[in-house]
Amino acid sequence: MELLPLWLCLGFHFLTVDWRNRSGTATAASQGGCKLVGGAADCRGQSLASVPSSLPPHARMLILDANPLRTLWNHSLQPYPLLESLSLHSCHLERISRGAFQEQGHLRSLVLGDNCLSENYKETAAALHALPGLRRLDLSGNSLTEDMAALMLRNLSSLRSVSLAGNTIMRLDDSVFEGLERLRELDLQRNYIFEIEGGAFDGLTELRHLSLAFNNLPCIVDFGLTQLRVLNVSYNVLEWFLAAGGEAAFELETLDLSHNQLLFFPLLPQRSKLRTLLLRDNNMGFYRDLYNTSSPREMVAQFLLVDGNVTNITTVSLWEEFSSSDLADLRFLDMSQNQFQYLPDGFLRKMPSLSHLNLNRNCLMTLHIREHEPPGALTELDLSHNQLSELHLAPGLASCLGSLRSFNLSSNQLLGVPPGLFANARNITALDMSHNQISLCPLPAASDRVGPPSCVDFRNMASLRSLSLEGCGLGALPDCPFRGTSLTYLDLSSNWGVLNGSLAPLQDVAPTLQVLSLRNMGLHSSFMALDFSGFGNLRDLDLSGNCLTTFPRFGGSLALETLDLRRNSLTALPQKAVSQQLSRGLRTIYLSQNPYDCCGVDGWEALRHGQTVADWAMVTCNLSSKIIRVTELPGGVPRDCKWERLDLGLLYLVLILPSCLTLLVACTVIVLTFKKPLLQVIKSRCHWSSVY
């Protein structure tokens, strides 16, 4: 049984007509809620229960989307005999009368998507047969089966573009598209198609774009639609894709097999014009190393194809499935999110025109860089999120990666790179080595060292503009690590202690840097050299996740626009520093998740009114052992803060004076109360004689 899946996100467009008045300018008006522009009437979303009859009779385009019409009657479109484009999307249509299009001989584009046409599909089909000149028809989202669709498309031989997306089609045979010899675009995505009989598309000799994405096709064997240019079978359950053998020339330019369950690299046509191949999110791998290569005859699979009374057997090699494919014109290859552990010798050599290669999220352990592998035309290479521990560079290669502009090696297990690898990449502008446990080569860089790579040297990479080294476990940066570069983007985040208390290692790139990320690096305000005055072109600075207790220093003609100070130890923001930043054009600042003192937020008023603090609603402060939002603070100075601002000596005096006065009064009362008895006792014991 032959299965042929196909997809394309068809960019259907309305037939655009530029109707103008006699003066040559487009007119715009409004009538009954409809917008009139030249020969187009836009009545979408007006809660109309019927087609308005008072629009200009010369209208060429009528848009009635999102109106509860429910029924299109025979007389509904009679006032507009010159219509060329009609859109009835989401109109709750359940019935289209047989004569609804009887007088619409000029109609070229008809949109009936997201309605309920399956209710009276026979009557709708009869109405459509009155449109011999129709070129574009959208029947998506109508719960149509294959039999309903075949009936509606019958005798519409003028069609160029058809959308049957979002219906309930399950199986296709040669009767569904019979008589559509001029059809060029077909959208069948988001159905339930699990089987396509052989010959279902054979009559579509002009077909160029096909879409069968989001269906249930299990495999494609003996694919032979040579006239197709764009084919998409993404989001199915494909395990195999095998093109027909032979020397037939295919016009195929774009093939999307992503988000399936492919086990092997697809067997592509031997002659094609393929430029884009998308294989993302499958289960593919190369398996030669797992089998006995001395017995190549055992490395084959045979497919039994049953078509009626005819039975064919197709034999393919599973371990060199790419060897016979024509990939000479391939420009873009996406093999990400698969299970590739290695690339066979000669695999990339078959793609001399390849410019973009994506291999991220695989299981690659090593990569061998040889002559023409990767090809010299490659400009973008993504090897991130693999298990790479080594890059092998063939000796004597002077121009490898010469055209490469973007190189992503992040989230691997690299300790270094081969000496001279980046020196030959003379056009590279973006390099990402984040989350590799690398170290930077000290001065002088040992470019002639031998043995396994143990460090990375970025010096004298004149073309480099963007460098990411986040989470690389870097120690203190060596002297002049970026000399000879003109970096505009640098990310050193999550490398604790890498600056060793000074910005001196960045002095070579300070004049050119525009974006600098130093988050989670253990920076604290005791760094006396944490001064960004020399970064004259800096636009974006990220200092979040550090231990700063004071605002960083800036000076000169700083052009800073975005500053992130979240998750630090700031208790206050100096008013002088804030005013300086505002005067220099600071647009966005992040200040939340700091232990601010509510008594020190007076200087933020200018920031709040200038809408500079992006996370103002999340900024909190401490007031009398309570954490409250700054936005909830009362106007003026809080009562608890007024006591804190008094002189301490005066405060102590105020507290002690009442106690002293109380003690003095108590002593006086006691003395006065017991004065006479006390004197008598003393006299009797001391035998003092009375003066009397």
Side-chain angles (χ1 to χ4, degrees), residues 182-429:
R182 299 180 182 180
L183 193 65
R184 299 180 64 87
E185 298 179 345
L186 177 60
D187 187 357
L188 289 165
Q189 64 178 309
R190 298 188 183 277
N191 278 278
Y192 302 92
I193 302 172
F194 66 90
E195 181 181 357
I196 302 178
E197 288 191 2
F201 300 111
D202 287 354
L204 307 180
T205 56
E206 296 294 323
L207 194 62
R208 297 294 180 268
H209 297 165
L210 274 164
S211 169
L212 275 172
F214 296 96
N215 279 284
N216 299 309
L217 292 166
C219 66
I220 304 173
V221 177
D222 201 27
F223 169 73
L225 296 180
T226 58
Q227 77 278 19
L228 275 184
R229 292 181 181 174
V230 178
L231 167 64
N232 187 315
V233 248
S234 62
Y235 293 98
N236 278 268
V237 290
L238 294 178
E239 295 185 354
W240 304 91
F241 181 92
L242 305 175
E247 296 295 325
F250 283 72
E251 297 293 323
L252 193 62
E253 296 179 359
T254 300
L255 175 60
D256 190 348
L257 299 173
S258 58
H259 305 287
N260 278 284
Q261 300 177 19
L262 291 173
L263 300 173
F264 300 92
F265 194 85
L267 183 64
L268 301 171
Q270 297 182 17
R271 296 176 57 192
S272 72
K273 301 177 180 178
L274 194 63
R275 293 174 175 267
T276 301
L277 179 57
L278 307 178
L279 302 172
R280 181 185 181 91
D281 188 20
N282 279 280
N283 300 317
M284 291 187 299
F286 293 115
Y287 307 99
R288 174 184 288 273
D289 293 348
L290 301 180
Y291 290 84
N292 182 10
T293 57
S294 63
S295 304
R297 293 183 180 180
E298 299 178 2
M299 303 179 190
V300 297
Q302 292 184 332
F303 293 88
L304 185 64
L305 308 181
V306 180
D307 187 4
N309 295 325
V310 179
T311 301
N312 294 320
I313 297 178
T314 300
T315 302
V316 297
S317 171
L318 299 181
W319 323 128
E320 296 182 356
E321 56 269 28
F322 64 89
S323 60
S324 61
S325 303
D326 184 3
L327 301 173
D329 293 328
L330 194 64
R331 302 287 195 276
F332 191 101
L333 176 58
D334 186 353
M335 298 167 58
S336 60
Q337 297 185 38
N338 279 278
Q339 299 181 19
F340 293 106
Q341 296 184 5
Y342 71 98
L343 298 181
D345 295 346
F347 176 69
L348 296 177
R349 192 177 296 119
K350 292 181 61 65
M351 313 170 193
S353 303
L354 190 66
S355 60
H356 294 75
L357 176 59
N358 189 349
L359 284 164
N360 72 37
R361 300 186 184 278
N362 277 280
C363 307
L364 295 174
M365 299 180 182
T366 60
L367 180 69
H368 295 269
I369 301 176
R370 309 180 181 90
E371 187 175 4
H372 305 304
E373 285 193 88
L378 194 66
T379 60
E380 182 176 337
L381 177 57
D382 189 347
L383 296 171
S384 61
H385 294 89
N386 278 277
Q387 301 174 22
L388 286 173
S389 58
E390 284 188 82
L391 299 177
H392 294 281
L393 180 64
L397 287 184
S399 59
C400 68
L401 308 180
S403 300
L404 197 64
R405 295 182 178 275
S406 176
F407 197 6
N408 191 344
L409 287 165
S410 63
S411 300
N412 280 284
Q413 301 173 15
L414 294 172
L415 300 178
V417 297
L421 178 64
F422 293 148
N424 294 326
R426 55 185 178 275
N427 289 313
I428 194 167
T429 59

Side-chain angles (χ1 to χ4, degrees), residues 56 86 133 146 203 246 258 302 340 343 374 393 396 464 512 528 604 677 681:
L86 175 62
E146 53 268 28
S258 58
Q302 292 184 332
F340 293 106
L343 298 181
L393 180 64
L464 191 61
T512 60
M528 300 304 296
W604 298 2
V681 171

